[in-house]
Structure formats: structure tokens, C-alpha cells
Amino acid sequence: FRTTDGEAQIVAVRQGLGMTTLPCFIGDADPLLVRVPGTELHMYGTLWLLTQGETRKTKRVRLFTEFVSRRLAAHAPLLAGLSISRD
């Protein structure tokens, strides 16, 4: 069974039809899924928050980017696959 649809992959794996590659924060949060033993984590890059021109200097955009940055930093281990969220 092959599909490029992420949700279909998750459903198939839950039904025991094989395995798939998922972000750790999705797979670790699902009690029906387990990591494949002996596999390594693959980091695919960084997360960027883009703003348009001078808008980055406005108070509301600056507050938003600071808020998002703090929230992402708080979840950094989970996003990096270093902690299993169901513990």
C-alpha cells in the first residue's frame, strides 16, 4: 500500500498495514503508534517565520513573532523528537 497523503498513511499504520515516516510530535502523541527500533531521527531544516518588509517593526507583528518564538522554544524537545509526549 502506498499513498502520499499523510492522513491516509497514519490511518494505514494504525490498522497495521506497514510503517511510515512522521514528525515525532505527531507519531509520539499517538498511543497506537511506536517508533521503529534502531532508527535515527532526521532533521530536515529550520522553521522560518517570515514577515513582509517594514511590518516586522510594528508592535502587533513583533508581539506575535515573540509569542510564537517562545511557544516553539518551549516545545523544542518534542519538535526535535527528543521527548515522547505521552509520558
Side-chain angles (χ1 to χ4, degrees), residues 15-75:
Q15 297 298 316
L17 295 177
M19 61 183 166
T20 188
T21 301
L22 295 171
C24 292
F25 66 90
I26 294 174
D28 289 347
D30 191 321
L32 298 176
L33 302 178
V34 295
R35 291 186 186 187
V36 176
T39 58
E40 294 183 22
L41 297 176
H42 299 282
M43 303 302 279
Y44 291 104
T46 56
L47 180 65
W48 288 62
L49 178 62
L50 303 177
T51 59
Q52 187 176 23
E54 293 296 309
T55 61
R56 78 176 57 92
K57 296 178 183 176
T58 64
K59 185 175 182 176
R60 69 174 185 245
V61 172
R62 201 172 63 252
L63 289 172
F64 175 76
T65 57
E66 290 169 3
F67 170 78
V68 170
S69 295
R70 283 192 308 272
R71 294 300 301 224
L72 288 172
H75 296 290

